[in-house]
Amino acid sequence: MGQMASFKVVGKGNGMRTDAIAGKHTIAIDEPESFGGKDSAIDPLSAFLASLMACENVMAQIIAKEMKFDLQGINFEVEGSLDLAGLMGDVTVKPYFQQVVVKGYIETSESDERIAEMQKAVDMRCPVFRTLKDAGIPVENRWVKTVPAV
């Protein structure tokens, strides 16, 4: 077995808002007013999708170096869909994302084949992506080449 790492977050809830601390960093999460919060911070599900985006980015940076891949920039759009009835107590409805779509926009001089190779490696090694995928949640991940910014 390899090196094990532990991650710990502590926090305090105040109404719908949660203020968390991870090491020396603070994270605030709230719900929109329409869901009973004060809309003072990102909502939990959007924060989860942002974590997926950030994890994909980190893995892309690591793997690009390993592959000697010309990664000049990367931008993401991540969307998830779920039926709110599950959150509201309908036990016949799953209370988690029914589908997640990741769109990656890669600034590179590399070929489409190399982009696909890197994406496959990222998908295999990204802990957040794999948590979703291995839990059986459909994740569609599409990376496309964009023109590098001048």
Side-chain angles (χ1 to χ4, degrees), residues 27-38:
I27 305 162
I29 297 177
D30 196 2
E31 289 289 349
E33 291 179 11
S34 63
F35 217 67
K38 294 184 178 168

Side-chain angles (χ1 to χ4, degrees), residues 72 75 105-109 144-150:
Q72 298 173 28
N75 295 300
Y105 302 95
I106 314 302
E107 294 178 22
T108 185
S109 62
V144 295
K145 183 176 181 175
T146 62
V147 177
V150 178

Side-chain angles (χ1 to χ4, degrees), residues 52-53 55-57 59-60 74-79 99-106 115-116 118-126 128-130 132-133 137-144:
L52 171 59
M53 179 188 309
C55 193
E56 288 256 311
N57 175 59
M59 293 312 304
I74 187 168
N75 295 300
F76 290 97
E77 290 179 26
V78 181
E79 294 182 58
Q99 180 177 23
V100 174
V101 177
V102 178
K103 297 176 186 171
Y105 302 95
I106 314 302
I115 292 170
M118 186 172 79
Q119 178 190 332
K120 184 177 178 182
V122 168
D123 290 351
M124 288 298 296
R125 292 170 53 184
C126 175
V128 179
F129 180 90
R130 288 297 301 270
L132 286 165
K133 194 75 170 171
I137 296 170
V139 182
E140 182 181 334
N141 199 354
R142 298 182 303 227
W143 287 16
V144 295

Side-chain angles (χ1 to χ4, degrees), residues 46-88:
S46 294
F48 183 84
L49 296 177
S51 293
L52 171 59
M53 179 188 309
C55 193
E56 288 256 311
N57 175 59
V58 168
M59 293 312 304
Q61 302 301 324
I62 291 169
I63 292 167
K65 286 181 182 162
E66 293 171 0
M67 291 176 59
K68 297 181 178 23
F69 184 99
D70 175 34
L71 181 58
Q72 298 173 28
I74 187 168
N75 295 300
F76 290 97
E77 290 179 26
V78 181
E79 294 182 58
S81 58
L82 62 86
D83 186 337
L84 293 177
L87 302 178
M88 302 312 291

Side-chain angles (χ1 to χ4, degrees), residues 87-104:
L87 302 178
M88 302 312 291
D90 184 340
V91 296
T92 65
V93 177
K94 298 172 185 170
Y96 52 82
F97 286 115
Q98 304 302 302
Q99 180 177 23
V100 174
V101 177
V102 178
K103 297 176 186 171

